[in-house]
RNA sequence: GCGCCCGUAGCUCAGUUGGAUAGAGUAAUCGGCUUCGAACCGAUUGGUCGGGAGUUCGAAUCUCUCCGGGCGCGCCA
């Protein structure tokens, strides 16, 4: 409809140009918007005010000319000149009713489009280190990323969802060593657990599983292990160094176990946690197309290739025994190390290789959903793509702000290392998947999220998700009533279509308008990568329905009117269902 | 210190390719079930859009500056 109106205006302007009232060489950027206020009609255009300056004419007079030359259309009831020069369009009832035909025809596809032209886009999200269960902060990234992917798929992109598994590097070594130490406890030894190890109960559980399968195969005496290890930094000994302590323990583990056995424990812990994360996300309705391993990049020499490519472009140099990437040449604030003086490549080097690999796989858009604390990382990744001669514009990074947790009015600690955190699983079981998904995507991602756990848990009935779901269930209930009705009413959408012209009261017309907005909202949310538009729209739609419900009875004796109304709420149910499906919320038939 | 994000009703938030009288939810007050589900609807109250300056027909939206809050500035990942 927007483009239809825009075409009408274009024709009008062309007429004026032909008659010489307007110059020929105008840059036309016609924007047609829905009005905020029904008193301004359905759509409005500000082109007269935009052109007023360039053609040096009064905007109101200009608008008047446009209106005069506007071709008639069966969809436009009337046009009005308003305010400083707006042209307002009022749709005919026929145009408003059109949406019902569309919904009946397209059903669950209503709202989808071919806008993306099957362009290959990858959405990478969560990608939390596999060193422990996901916490509620990861949950936000999960919900956000999943909906972004859904939206892009809905408007015709070829979307692939990916989780980058950081299965290489020091954090994983710390986890492996933590598991081993807990395992020794299961073997009957007594140990002193490092302050910098992973202290969560899940590590103890993994160690128990390890012991159950392998027995005491990996058992070593703790007194042997601790020998020669740098002292830990604890309250009794503030002189110690917790970083050196854990590093020494890692090296001792590798030395005493041998590479092969160490790897068994390492992979055991890794796989347990990955399986747990996969299951957790699966239950949350978040499934991936690919779990991409960082280690595979190292093993398959992709990291080396990437560094070579930077070298070929003369973008790396040696300093202090390390290899540096000249990222400051490409907008980063300083150069970055890609290979340490001990010969190991950095995490950043893997990430350079990873993003190169993404483009190599044929994705022309790559969307990374990151925690906002990684924002400083964006320029260097972009720089690496530029340096390799790749298109850094293909990369879009969505920074999701932290969910700040409050428990009993106080900020809750969120540290994986200390084991003090609220897991996503815990949140899901407390407030339910639907409320969690809805709550997470209700806010735009750059907005901080105050998550009051007690409120979310104790008053979950006040969560807006129930309002939307209730509208859906209520409509289902009406149709159950039809089925059970003693008057043997039947409803059939194709015959009902013949009587939709009977829809004419204000509640019905505004509900129709709201339904017609759905595809526009989906497109806008997808183009701007803004999932929060969907829950806001759904709330609005539910509100229109509930108002209608309270104002008019649907199951009336008049067959034609009854059919028309039932068809309208049937379409409403379809759109509610489509929208909830996009954000991963269920559409219950009863509540 | 430098960089990124945020500041809109008591609270939680929408609204930015510049548009008309800045909107929802919640809280508060009042009203509505003999009815297809009251987990609902309607009404009222509530604002220096953090402060100031600028750009223009027009600024919550763009620019500058200041104030306040969050985060980041490793040969960690």
């Amino acid at each position: 409809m927007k483009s239809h109106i825009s075409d009408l205006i274009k024709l009008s302007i062309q007429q004026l140009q032909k008659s010489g009232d307007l110059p020929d060489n105008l840059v036309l950027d016609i924007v047609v918007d829905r009005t905020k206020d029904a008193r301004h009609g359905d759509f409005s255009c500000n082109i007269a005010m935009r052109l007023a300056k360039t053609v040096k004419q009064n905007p109101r007079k200009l608008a008047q000319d446009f209106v005069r030359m506007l071709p008639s259309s069966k969809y436009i009831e009337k046009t009005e000149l308003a305010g400083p020069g707006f042209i307002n369009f009022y749709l005919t009832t026929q145009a408003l009713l059109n949406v019902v035909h569309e919904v009946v025809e397209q059903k669950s596809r209503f709202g989808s489009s071919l806008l993306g032209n099957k362009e290959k886009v990858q959405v990478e999200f969560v990608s939390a280190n596999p060193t422990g269960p996901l916490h509620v902060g990861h949950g936000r990234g999960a919900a956000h990323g999943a909906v972004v992917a859904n939206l892009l798929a809905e408007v015709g992109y070829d979307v692939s969802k990916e989780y980058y598994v950081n299965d290489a590097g020091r954090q994983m070594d710390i986890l492996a060593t933590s598991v081993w130490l807990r395992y020794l406890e299961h073997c009957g030894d007594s140990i002193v657990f490092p302050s910098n190890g992973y202290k969560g109960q899940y590590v103890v559980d993994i160690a128990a599983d390890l012991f159950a399968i392998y027995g005491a195969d990996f058992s070593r005496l703790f007194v042997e292990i601790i020998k020669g290890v740098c002292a830990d930094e604890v309250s009794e000994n503030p002189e110690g160094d917790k970083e050196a302590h854990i590093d020494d323990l890692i090296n001792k583990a590798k030395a005493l176990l041998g590479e092969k056995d160490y790897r068994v424990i390492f992979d055991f812990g890794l796989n347990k946690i990955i399986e747990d994360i996969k299951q957790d996300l699966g239950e949350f309705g978040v499934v991936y197309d690919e779990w991409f391993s960082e280690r595979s990049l190292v093993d398959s020499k992709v990291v080396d290739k990437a560094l070579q490519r930077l070298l070929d472009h003369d973008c790396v140099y040696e300093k202090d025994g390390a290899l540096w990437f000249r990222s400051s040449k490409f907008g980063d604030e300083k150069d970055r190390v890609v290979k340490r003086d001990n010969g190991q490549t950095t995490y950043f080097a893997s990430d350079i290789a990873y993003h190169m690999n993404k483009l190599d796989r044929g994705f022309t858009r790559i969307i990374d959903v990151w925690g906002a604390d990684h924002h400083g990382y964006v320029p260097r990744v972009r720089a690496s793509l530029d340096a390799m001669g790749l298109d850094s514009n293909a990369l879009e990074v969505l920074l999701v702000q932290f969910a700040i947790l409050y428990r009993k009015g106080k900020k809750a600690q969120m540290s994986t290392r200390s084991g003090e955190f609220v897991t996503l699983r815990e949140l899901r079981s407390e407030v339910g998947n639907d409320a969690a998904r809805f709550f997470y995507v209700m806010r735009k991602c750059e907005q901080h999220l105050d998550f009051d756990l007690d409120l979310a848990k104790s008053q979950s009935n006040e969560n807006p998700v129930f309002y939307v779901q209730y509208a859906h269930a209520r409509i289902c209930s009406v149709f159950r009533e039809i089925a059970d009705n003693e008057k043997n009413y039947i409803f059939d959408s194709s015959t009902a279509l013949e009587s939709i012209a009977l829809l004419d009261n204000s509640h019905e017309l505004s509900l129709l308008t709201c339904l017609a907005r759905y595809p526009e909202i989906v497109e806008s949310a997808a183009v701007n990568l803004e999932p929060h538009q969907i829950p806001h729209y759904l709330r609005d739609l539910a509100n229109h329905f509930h108002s209608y419900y309270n104002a008019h009875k649907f199951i009336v004796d008049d067959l034609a009117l009854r059919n028309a109304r039932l068809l309208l709420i049937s379409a409403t149910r379809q759109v509610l269902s489509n929208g909830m499906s996009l954000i991963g919320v269920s559409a219950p038939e009863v509540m």
Side-chain angles (χ1 to χ4, degrees):
Chain A
M1 189 55 64
K2 275 185 185 177
S3 61
H4 175 66
I5 293 172
S6 166
D7 288 344
L8 295 178
I9 295 167
K10 207 172 286 172
L11 286 170
S12 162
I13 291 175
Q14 281 166 2
Q15 283 298 315
L16 288 166
Q17 285 175 323
K18 245 180 229 167
S19 64
D21 291 318
L22 281 176
D24 289 333
N25 56 341
L26 286 177
V27 184
L28 291 181
D29 180 21
I30 300 175
V31 178
V32 176
D33 274 318
R34 282 198 183 268
T35 54
K36 280 185 202 163
D37 193 326
R39 280 170 296 181
H40 297 138
D42 295 295
F43 289 92
S44 126
C45 182
N46 63 358
I47 188 68
M49 288 176 292
R50 294 171 70 101
L51 282 179
K53 200 170 196 180
T54 43
V55 303
K56 293 182 179 125
Q57 288 190 42
N58 179 297
R60 274 191 75 96
K61 193 219 160 252
L62 209 51
Q64 229 158 22
D65 291 343
F66 292 158
V67 171
R68 188 162 43 82
M69 300 306 290
L70 218 53
S72 66
S73 158
K74 59 177 176 175
Y75 296 124
I76 307 299
E77 178 77 43
K78 61 169 177 171
T79 52
E80 247 177 29
L81 183 58
F86 290 103
I87 304 168
N88 293 337
F89 296 83
Y90 292 75
L91 297 186
T92 57
T93 309
Q94 187 189 349
L96 291 175
L97 290 171
N98 201 32
V99 67
V100 178
H101 287 95
E102 289 175 15
V103 175
V104 166
E105 208 172 282
Q106 302 172 26
K107 298 190 174 66
S108 65
R109 291 195 326 279
F110 180 71
S112 67
S113 69
L114 303 173
L115 190 73
N117 206 16
K118 292 188 179 161
E119 183 179 349
K120 276 190 77 178
V121 51
Q122 185 210 57
V123 184
E124 181 219 323
F125 56 108
V126 184
S127 300
N129 283 346
T131 53
L134 298 179
H135 56 62
V136 295
H138 299 128
R140 190 176 186 189
H144 194 80
V147 178
V148 165
N150 286 349
L151 285 168
L152 289 171
E154 189 73 359
V155 299
Y157 284 88
D158 179 7
V159 182
S160 179
K161 290 173 282 185
E162 185 154 308
Y163 190 116
Y164 182 52
V165 182
N166 298 130
D167 52 6
R170 182 163 172 265
Q171 297 306 321
M172 286 309 301
D173 279 320
I174 295 176
L175 177 78
T177 303
S178 300
V179 169
W180 186 48
L181 292 171
R182 290 299 188 203
Y183 161 87
L184 296 178
E185 286 183 321
H186 287 290
C187 294
D189 205 350
S190 77
I191 62 154
V192 182
F193 200 78
S195 60
N196 226 6
Y198 286 101
K199 293 172 182 158
Q201 175 62 34
Y202 62 93
V203 177
V204 177
D205 296 341
I206 291 170
D209 290 343
L210 183 69
F211 181 72
I213 293 172
Y214 292 94
D217 290 2
F218 310 123
S219 181
R220 301 291 185 278
L221 289 176
F222 187 69
V223 287
E224 286 297 320
I225 298 165
I226 204 72
K227 202 179 283 173
V229 167
C230 172
D232 197 3
E233 180 184 341
V234 286
S235 50
E236 306 90 71
N237 180 23
E239 300 297 304
D241 185 336
K242 59 182 179 181
E243 300 293 345
H245 178 70
I246 194 81
D247 283 338
D248 282 355
L249 282 175
I250 291 168
N251 289 330
K252 263 306 189 43
K254 287 176 177 171
L256 292 172
L257 286 164
E259 191 61 38
K260 192 170 154 238
D261 280 1
Y262 178 78
R263 183 55 71 185
V264 170
I265 296 170
F266 185 104
D267 284 345
F268 190 84
L270 170 69
N271 291 332
K272 280 279 178 193
I273 290 176
I274 291 290
E275 282 315 307
D276 180 69
I277 290 175
K278 211 175 268 189
Q279 188 198 13
D280 195 10
L281 289 174
E283 286 170 9
F284 196 36
V286 177
V287 286
Y288 287 88
D289 299 298
E290 187 81 33
W291 292 72
F292 194 94
S293 152
E294 177 188 358
R295 207 198 300 166
S296 75
L297 286 171
V298 181
D299 292 348
S300 62
K301 307 287 180 200
V302 178
V303 175
D304 293 337
K305 273 181 219 158
L307 294 184
Q308 184 60 45
R309 188 158 173 179
L310 287 176
L311 188 64
D312 293 343
H313 285 79
D314 194 26
C315 292
V316 287
Y317 61 91
E318 270 191 56
K319 195 182 88 179
D320 303 332
L323 199 62
W324 296 72
F325 164 45
R326 220 182 282 280
S327 56
S328 61
K329 240 179 86 177
F330 301 90
D332 196 9
E333 53 187 10
K334 57 183 168 189
D335 294 346
R336 309 288 174 179
V337 171
V338 287
K339 191 182 271 187
R340 294 193 274 263
D341 56 9
N342 65 8
Q344 281 206 311
T345 53
T346 59
Y347 170 81
F348 178 46
S350 296
D351 233 7
I352 293 172
Y354 181 42
H355 284 85
M356 178 183 82
N357 170 271
K358 288 185 182 195
L359 291 174
D360 281 350
R361 278 188 274 161
F363 295 111
T364 47
R365 276 184 84 179
I366 46 185
I367 296 171
D368 290 3
V369 180
W370 290 351
D373 53 333
H374 285 67
H375 72 258
Y377 209 73
V378 179
R380 75 187 75 164
V381 174
R382 223 173 259 294
S384 72
L385 293 175
D386 284 332
M388 289 187 288
L390 298 168
D391 179 16
S392 68
N393 289 324
L395 171 67
E396 296 161 84
V397 181
L398 301 181
L399 297 170
V400 179
Q401 289 288 342
F402 274 169
I404 304 167
L405 276 174
Y406 290 89
R407 173 176 267 165
K408 296 194 175 69
K410 278 174 154 174
K411 232 183 204 182
Q413 286 297 315
M414 292 298 293
S415 158
T416 310
R417 197 77 68 82
S418 69
E420 295 168 22
F421 53 87
V422 180
T423 63
L424 174 60
R425 195 175 264 119
E426 185 185 345
L427 178 78
R428 292 195 293 106
S429 74
E430 294 284 348
V431 307
N433 281 336
D434 287 341
R437 290 284 298 250
F438 200 91
F439 201 92
Y440 273 135
V441 297
M442 251 182 77
R443 287 160 175 74
K444 53 185 178 191
C445 67
E446 63 265 34
Q447 183 71 247
H448 293 264
L449 176 61
D450 284 337
F451 210 126
D452 187 326
L453 282 170
D454 301 307
L455 188 75
K457 288 173 184 175
S458 67
Q459 303 188 6
S460 60
N461 276 11
E462 292 177 11
N463 195 303
V465 68
F466 293 98
Y467 182 81
V468 175
Q469 290 183 318
Y470 181 50
H472 186 270
R474 224 179 184 184
I475 296 171
C476 292
S477 171
V478 172
F479 282 96
R480 277 194 298 274
E481 178 65 24
I482 285 288
D484 297 345
N485 197 289
E486 53 199 21
K487 292 179 181 169
N488 291 321
Y489 286 153
I490 51 162
F491 172 75
D492 163 71
S493 57
S494 52
T495 50
L497 269 175
E498 292 162 18
S499 42
I500 55 168
L502 294 172
L503 299 174
D504 62 355
N505 66 56
S506 65
H507 286 97
E508 288 160 349
L509 297 182
S510 66
L511 184 53
L512 285 166
T513 303
C514 191
L515 290 174
R517 278 173 50 219
Y518 180 67
E520 298 165 23
I521 295 287
V522 172
E523 182 177 322
S524 166
V527 167
N528 298 305
L529 305 175
E530 289 180 345
H532 74 276
Q533 290 192 30
I534 303 296
H536 281 278
Y537 167 80
L538 288 174
R539 220 217 161 268
D540 195 37
L541 178 58
N543 178 242
H544 277 101
F545 166 73
H546 285 309
S547 298
Y548 180 35
Y549 184 99
N550 272 63
H552 299 280
K553 203 166 155 68
F554 309 141
I555 304 178
V556 291
D557 288 334
D558 182 296
L559 172 67
L561 185 62
R562 184 173 73 236
N563 273 341
R565 289 182 171 174
L566 289 175
L567 188 60
L568 174 58
I569 66 168
S570 168
T572 304
R573 172 172 61 180
Q574 181 71 60
V575 174
L576 284 169
S577 163
N578 291 4
M580 285 192 271
S581 154
L582 271 181
I583 58 173
V585 170
S586 68
E589 295 188 8
V590 288
M591 293 173 69

